[in-house]
Amino acid sequence: MKKVELYTDGACSGNPGIGGWASILIYNGVEKILSGGDIETTNNKMEVISVIKGLEALKEPCEVTVYSDSQYTVSPFIDGYINNWILSGWRLADKKPVKNVELWKRLVELTNVHKVTFVKVKGHADNENNNRCDLIARNEIKKIQNA
């Protein structure tokens, strides 16, 4: 199974507002950069979409390490409560529905295709590829604003 690194980030100007996302896939030293945006979205959606788009770009099942500064995105997997959401019919502990459920369902589908490990990195710090994703995501916002 190929081992791939996936760096991701999302950004939003206003929340909700114009958003951007970026993913950097690295396999055997080769990079593939993906990015996009949305006119009306939230930061959390952009963070999750960045992981989804990165995983969707893989052409075969891979062993993927996802690096993200988004607690919202990585905690459900690292802390295991994504399984509780699934078992409870996509409800939180307080019985309220999980927000962005369609995105979470898609992300779970993709984690069932690939062997995925999530790593929480500190945002705007010393992770060069996370910083690159942040810059690319913010540039996607600028593209939409200037269109």
Side-chain angles (χ1 to χ4, degrees), residues 81-91 98 104 108 112:
Y81 54 88
I82 191 86
N83 298 320
N84 296 339
W85 292 354
I86 294 166
L87 291 172
S88 67
W90 295 97
R91 300 236 169 239
V98 171
W104 287 114
V108 167
N112 289 329

Side-chain angles (χ1 to χ4, degrees), residues 74-145:
V74 302
S75 288
F77 294 94
I78 291 175
D79 298 335
Y81 54 88
I82 191 86
N83 298 320
N84 296 339
W85 292 354
I86 294 166
L87 291 172
S88 67
W90 295 97
R91 300 236 169 239
L92 302 170
D94 63 5
K95 307 296 183 210
K96 291 181 182 173
V98 171
K99 291 183 180 178
N100 304 312
V101 70
E102 294 309 315
L103 294 176
W104 287 114
K105 286 179 178 179
R106 180 63 181 141
L107 186 51
V108 167
E109 285 175 16
L110 291 164
T111 62
N112 289 329
V113 171
H114 306 286
K115 183 180 177 195
V116 180
T117 303
F118 287 87
V119 177
K120 171 78 169 66
V121 299
K122 187 173 180 181
H124 313 285
D126 58 355
N127 188 298
E128 178 186 341
N129 286 321
N130 179 257
N131 291 336
R132 289 174 61 207
C133 283
D134 179 63
L135 178 62
I136 296 165
R138 286 186 286 113
N139 283 337
E140 287 294 331
I141 293 170
K142 288 178 187 172
K143 282 185 199 173
I144 294 169
Q145 288 171 330

Side-chain angles (χ1 to χ4, degrees), residues 7-23 34-51 53 69-70 73 124 130 132-145:
Y7 294 85
T8 68
D9 202 12
C12 215
S13 180
N15 199 21
I18 299 171
W21 61 269
S23 304
L34 307 166
S35 63
D38 198 345
I39 291 173
E40 184 69 16
T41 190
T42 64
N43 190 68
N44 285 343
K45 285 181 180 178
M46 293 292 93
E47 294 281 6
V48 176
I49 286 171
S50 68
V51 179
K53 294 296 188 179
D69 63 9
S70 169
T73 304
H124 313 285
N130 179 257
R132 289 174 61 207
C133 283
D134 179 63
L135 178 62
I136 296 165
R138 286 186 286 113
N139 283 337
E140 287 294 331
I141 293 170
K142 288 178 187 172
K143 282 185 199 173
I144 294 169
Q145 288 171 330

